[in-house]
Amino acid sequence: MGARRLLALVAVVVALGAAAAALQPINVTTVAFEEGYTPLFGFDNILRSGDGLTVSLLLDRSTGSGFISSSMYQHGFFSASIKLPSDYTAGVVVAFYTSNGDVFEKRHDELDFEFLGNIRGKPWRVQTNVYGNGSVSRGREERYVLPFDPTTEFHRYSILWTRAAVVFFVDDVPVREVRQSAAMAGDFPSKPMSLYATVWDASTWATSGGRYRVNYRYGPFVASFTDLALLGCRVDPIQMLSSSSSGRSAECAASEDALLASDLAVMTLEKQLAMRRYREQNMVYSYCHDTRRYPVPFPECDVVDSERRRFKDSGHLRLALRRHRRPRPAVRSARSTRAADM
């Protein structure tokens, strides 16, 4: 039995390694900034490329900046290739997220990528959040160490939101899936949302709980976005609440059915194995293990004992992740070369 278990373990490790290599790149149509977005705040700190395909957001002593999608969407796929600010960026948060807080103030939904400020020489961390119907007191945060330097080249971050699940991707690898269930009730996002991208001063909490604050001597802090993708059904939330919205709802239902049937939404065995490997190698905090904050487990948390033992009751990883220095690729993609020239 010992030999059989060893062989089974080897088979799993080989499968995990092969899974990431087997994943196909996600191909979706991208749009220029003017086609899908509009400035949100810090207008003087929003810089656009001549071809309109790349936009940079700046944070300086005067203000941060951000942009928003021109429409709201009832489910969809939202994606961008992002290059984060370099050097000392403690307290700086770059966010790429969907939300409807401006329309549904007290019962808003939200799906977040939040890149937390970094001390020079330390690996960057990204946090994902899922909020539904104003459930901010029941945060569903997870944090991961990025296995690359996100300041030297562009990397793609994507959010898939359907009525069945929410999936977060990093460089086309799924890193987190939250399945809708009756037990989650209104905690699962269900109302139309806009897409946002922002950079702002979060000195009070972002880096080591606020121990390290933004140092503007290293500014301005620049986050660049390209390969912007918006795939979903556009809606007017006011019309959606009216009795005359049935036709639009039917159109969105058909659009989402097509999305659910597409390769984007099908969680293949290869995707599941790649997601498992990413989480084992990079996840450093999960609300599912945070029994101090949440003594009663969340309904979607299906945690095995072998995974639980790796985390403290605070939800944080017991031991620091081991990192192996990776050689930088000699050849860069045409997309990264174009975007890096900005």
Side-chain angles (χ1 to χ4, degrees):
M1 290 298 295
R4 289 181 180 179
R5 289 177 180 173
L6 179 60
L7 288 173
L9 178 61
V10 170
V12 169
V13 172
V14 171
L16 287 172
L23 293 182
Q24 296 298 315
I26 295 175
N27 294 313
V28 293
T29 302
T30 60
V31 298
F33 183 82
E34 296 289 349
E35 295 176 312
Y37 305 88
T38 186
L40 180 63
F41 70 99
F43 304 105
D44 291 338
N45 280 2
I46 301 176
L47 307 179
R48 296 174 231 179
S49 62
D51 58 11
L53 299 179
T54 302
V55 59
S56 294
L57 301 180
L58 281 64
L59 167 67
D60 58 23
R61 293 180 185 274
S62 62
T63 184
S65 53
F67 61 84
I68 183 175
S69 60
S70 303
S71 301
M72 299 185 76
Y73 294 83
Q74 182 64 37
H75 304 114
F77 180 80
F78 314 99
S79 182
S81 293
I82 306 172
K83 185 162 68 171
L84 298 178
S86 59
D87 209 343
Y88 183 91
T89 56
V92 177
V93 165
V94 176
F96 180 72
Y97 63 104
T98 64
S99 178
N100 49 34
D102 292 340
V103 178
F104 305 100
E105 184 176 352
K106 295 184 178 180
R107 54 189 184 94
H108 86 285
D109 307 297
E110 191 169 319
L111 301 169
D112 299 329
F113 272 113
E114 291 180 323
F115 303 92
L116 307 181
N118 186 50
I119 304 169
R120 188 190 296 114
K122 299 293 184 179
W124 271 80
R125 298 189 178 203
V126 60
Q127 177 168 283
T128 60
N129 298 328
V130 175
Y131 298 120
N133 206 33
S135 60
V136 293
S137 63
R138 300 182 297 279
R140 287 171 160 86
E141 301 97 337
E142 286 191 348
R143 288 184 210 115
Y144 324 90
V145 171
L146 291 173
F148 47 76
D149 184 347
T151 71
T152 58
E153 294 182 325
F154 283 79
H155 291 268
R156 181 149 71 164
Y157 307 90
S158 309
I159 301 170
L160 173 67
W161 171 44
T162 70
R163 63 175 178 266
V166 171
V167 184
F168 295 88
F169 298 82
V170 175
D171 282 337
D172 299 344
V173 176
V175 302
R176 180 182 182 185
E177 180 185 32
V178 178
R179 306 283 310 173
Q180 191 277 343
S181 69
M184 283 189 71
D187 282 6
F188 189 85
S190 60
K191 298 183 291 296
M193 291 191 277
S194 301
L195 179 70
Y196 295 78
T198 59
V199 58
W200 53 290
D201 186 331
S203 291
T204 58
W205 65 271
T207 308
S208 299
R211 182 191 304 177
Y212 301 97
R213 304 179 67 84
V214 174
N215 187 335
Y216 286 100
R217 290 186 302 169
Y218 296 95
F221 304 98
V222 181
S224 297
F225 299 76
T226 193
D227 297 331
L228 298 166
L230 291 168
L231 180 63
C233 186
R234 300 179 182 181
V235 297
D236 183 326
I238 305 303
Q239 291 182 0
M240 205 173 162
L241 295 175
S242 71
S243 59
S244 61
S245 63
S246 57
R248 188 61 178 169
S249 297
E251 181 181 341
C252 283
S255 174
E256 189 187 356
D257 286 343
L259 179 62
L260 280 168
S262 70
D263 291 339
L264 279 173
V266 177
M267 188 61 72
T268 63
L269 176 61
E270 290 77 16
K271 288 182 180 179
Q272 293 178 49
L273 290 173
M275 181 170 65
R276 176 179 170 184
R277 184 185 187 194
Y278 190 97
R279 294 171 65 82
E280 288 179 349
Q281 294 184 346
N282 301 286
M283 190 167 71
V284 294
Y285 172 84
S286 174
Y287 70 105
C288 286
H289 303 297
D290 194 345
T291 55
R292 292 184 191 174
R293 188 178 176 190
Y294 306 113
V296 178
F298 284 74
E300 71 275 12
C301 292
D302 184 14
V303 180
V304 297
D305 288 340
S306 59
E307 179 179 315
R308 188 185 302 276
R309 287 194 292 268
R310 297 174 50 233
F311 291 84
K312 305 175 186 178
D313 60 1
S314 63
H316 295 276
L317 197 66
R318 289 185 180 277
L319 300 175
L321 293 172
R322 293 184 178 182
R323 290 292 171 205
H324 300 285
R325 187 178 298 275
R326 296 183 178 182
R328 294 184 63 183
V331 179
R332 298 170 64 189
S333 68
R335 179 184 70 186
S336 296
T337 302
R338 167 178 60 77
D341 289 338
M342 289 304 304

